[in-house]
Amino acid sequence: MPVEHIEAIKEFGGWLNRYRHRSQLCHCDMTFSVYLPPAAATAKVPAVYWLSGLTCTDDNFRVKAGAQRYAAELGLVLVIPDTSPRGADVPDVPERYDLGQGAGFYVNATQAPWATHYQMYDYVTRELPALVEANLPLTDARAITGHSMGGHGALICALKEPGRYRSVSAFAPICHPMACGWGQGCFGAYLGKERETWAAYDATRLIEDGAAAIPLLIDQGTDDEFLAQQLHPTSLERICAARKFPLTLRWQEGYDHSYHFIASFIGEHLAYHADHLR
């Protein structure tokens, strides 16, 4: 599959690259970024996939998180996809930030008009890894992490794909999307009115319904403006305790939902993943 290399920036001895390709699943051009650490110049290295949140593109994380310095030191590739399909032919609701372009929610949509393009789950777990592993110096050792909607995406990808990821973590994830306005709005549009079909993309329900155990690391700020209404980490915590599912939920005093929070702890998350990927 042709991949167009559209940007290269040297950082911390490695290269922050940006690519564009025609997605066979999303039926549009997709843009993604990859940070290759210095170690990738001489050997294949493992990758951490970062999934961003509502309204973001691949650019937010690579500019704001400060992750490349840690990835260079740890010998990790960072793979940073977009949050949704995009383009003039891709359905959107311009007056809403929480539905349509920028709000793919990492599901495979089944409903019109979304189903043709909004296949983000398969894009993130299948098409993109196959593409980068075929074209760049990556091993097939993968970890996954993300923020908010992307934290939800990281959790469901790891829970639904036993063995595909060696570790998973999240920053302020939407832990129980079936119970919050963001999740209900997108799931109803993308997946239809039958609520039980939504459970396949809800981390809390996946664990309740018997997902295979994988250790979960979650950081949550106590001053997060979306904590009470949208994120529901205590719902996930209760189910994990009941199922004896390995969860480390770290409450970070005074932190909000922003990239200031992510930048404060991204080094610890990447070190966590490096330990699992070695």
Side-chain angles (χ1 to χ4, degrees), residues 79-91:
V79 181
I80 314 161
D82 203 346
T83 54
S84 78
R86 297 183 193 270
D89 297 330
V90 175

Side-chain angles (χ1 to χ4, degrees), residues 195-246:
R195 287 180 58 89
E196 275 306 300
T197 65
W198 304 357
Y201 297 105
D202 184 303
T204 298
R205 281 295 305 273
L206 287 168
I207 293 171
E208 184 177 19
D209 293 342
I214 180 172
L216 308 181
L217 170 63
I218 294 175
D219 274 336
Q220 175 61 61
T222 60
D223 286 8
D224 190 317
E225 59 271 38
F226 301 112
L227 176 57
Q229 298 299 321
Q230 303 289 357
L231 305 181
H232 295 282
T234 54
S235 295
L236 182 71
E237 187 176 38
R238 284 194 298 270
I239 291 299
C240 286
R243 303 292 266 175
K244 296 181 171 54
F245 202 96

Side-chain angles (χ1 to χ4, degrees), residues 70-182:
Y70 300 105
E73 295 170 356
L74 294 166
L76 298 174
V77 171
L78 301 175
V79 181
I80 314 161
D82 203 346
T83 54
S84 78
R86 297 183 193 270
D89 297 330
V90 175
D92 192 20
V93 185
E95 66 273 18
R96 290 184 59 176
Y97 74 92
D98 58 345
L99 180 66
Q101 295 187 34
F105 244 87
Y106 304 102
V107 305
N108 289 334
T110 59
Q111 305 299 301
W114 311 100
T116 298
H117 298 283
Y118 284 73
Q119 300 295 310
M120 287 300 294
Y121 180 82
D122 280 351
Y123 178 76
V124 165
T125 61
R126 295 291 189 273
E127 186 175 17
L128 183 59
L131 186 70
V132 295
E133 289 170 15
N135 288 278
L136 296 171
L138 277 66
T139 69
D140 61 1
R142 310 174 198 96
I144 192 164
T145 183
H147 170 233
S148 193
M149 179 186 73
H152 141 80
L155 295 179
I156 64 168
C157 289
L159 293 168
K160 288 167 66 67
E161 302 285 339
R164 177 165 284 271
Y165 304 98
R166 297 193 183 180
S167 54
V168 57
S169 71
F171 293 83
I174 303 170
C175 295
H176 193 12
M178 293 177 68
C180 76
W182 284 342

